[in-house]
Amino acid sequence: MPSTQQADIVFGPFQEGSYEELGGASPRAINVVIDPKGVVSKRPGIAAYSVAPSGVVDADGITGLYADNTGQLFAIGGTPDARHIYKLLNGAAADLSVAPNSTLRGRLRPTFAETEVFLVIAGGSNIQKVNLSTLQSTQLGGDPPIASHVVANSSRLAANDTIVDKTKVRFSGISQGTVDTSGHEEWDNTGLTEDGGFFTAEARPDPVQAVYENTNEVFVWGV
């Protein structure tokens, strides 16, 4: 009888034999980092979260989850136009939306932007902010646009305008550090660099449907 041999197939980058054996299939890495030698390591910053509430957080469901840079976990409730914001910790959900104007308005899926001080949330209406130190939830000041998407980029906040200037992305003034946060609540288009302004998605300016960021770039989607 013919002899048989067994050998491990290495599923990693730069392993030419693996790609040939898989017939063109590519390996997938989720929450891990694979170095050029094929060593698999856990992605930095990944940690187990085992204290999520076992009961109901919001009777109308959860429409969004966000973990900030320090590991705090926030959930957005599902009540249309009055969605409560919760902090999840130690098996419990603390409701941050008990004061007036502390709920997230709108009916669209929440989007999040994080600064050194605030967690900023948009969901199709007024933009909301949560102070990450005090956990106070209030509406973002400075007359920002009614927005479905908000991002943090280059020390500014930027958001689309779903009501007035639908073809533009508006941005706030500059704010750095944790002492003076007033720049993120200055949205006036005065032409001064410290104030807000706007840009238009070129080369075909059409209604902006979504805004996202990656590192130091802003991506805009039209219709």
Side-chain angles (χ1 to χ4, degrees), residues 44-119:
I46 294 294
Y49 187 84
S50 58
V51 291
S54 58
V56 175
V57 174
D58 190 289
D60 290 325
I62 299 296
T63 59
L65 285 172
Y66 184 84
D68 73 358
N69 289 326
T70 66
Q72 296 186 104
L73 185 61
F74 297 88
I76 310 299
T79 305
D81 294 318
R83 291 177 281 186
H84 284 236
I85 303 171
Y86 303 90
K87 179 184 177 181
L88 307 183
L89 181 65
N90 297 329
D95 191 349
L96 309 183
S97 299
V98 293
N101 295 320
S102 60
T103 59
L104 176 65
R105 298 184 180 182
R107 296 170 177 243
L108 301 179
R109 182 177 181 177
T111 60
F112 303 88
E114 183 178 348
T115 72
E116 294 176 271
V117 177
F118 299 128
L119 173 61

Side-chain angles (χ1 to χ4, degrees), residues 130-192:
V130 175
N131 188 304
L132 294 173
S133 296
T134 65
L135 298 180
Q136 182 182 19
S137 173
T138 56
Q139 287 186 8
L140 186 68
D143 195 24
I146 300 298
S148 63
H149 289 73
V150 62
V151 298
N153 185 270
S154 298
S155 302
R156 301 179 188 266
L157 295 174
N160 65 327
D161 190 328
T162 63
I163 301 296
V164 181
D165 296 320
K166 296 182 179 182
T167 65
K168 297 178 175 61
V169 175
R170 292 179 54 192
F171 57 82
S172 72
I174 295 174
S175 216
Q176 295 178 331
T178 59
V179 177
D180 183 5
T181 61
S182 60
H184 287 157
E185 298 187 274
E186 295 173 354
W187 293 77
D188 294 329
N189 183 24
T190 64
L192 300 176

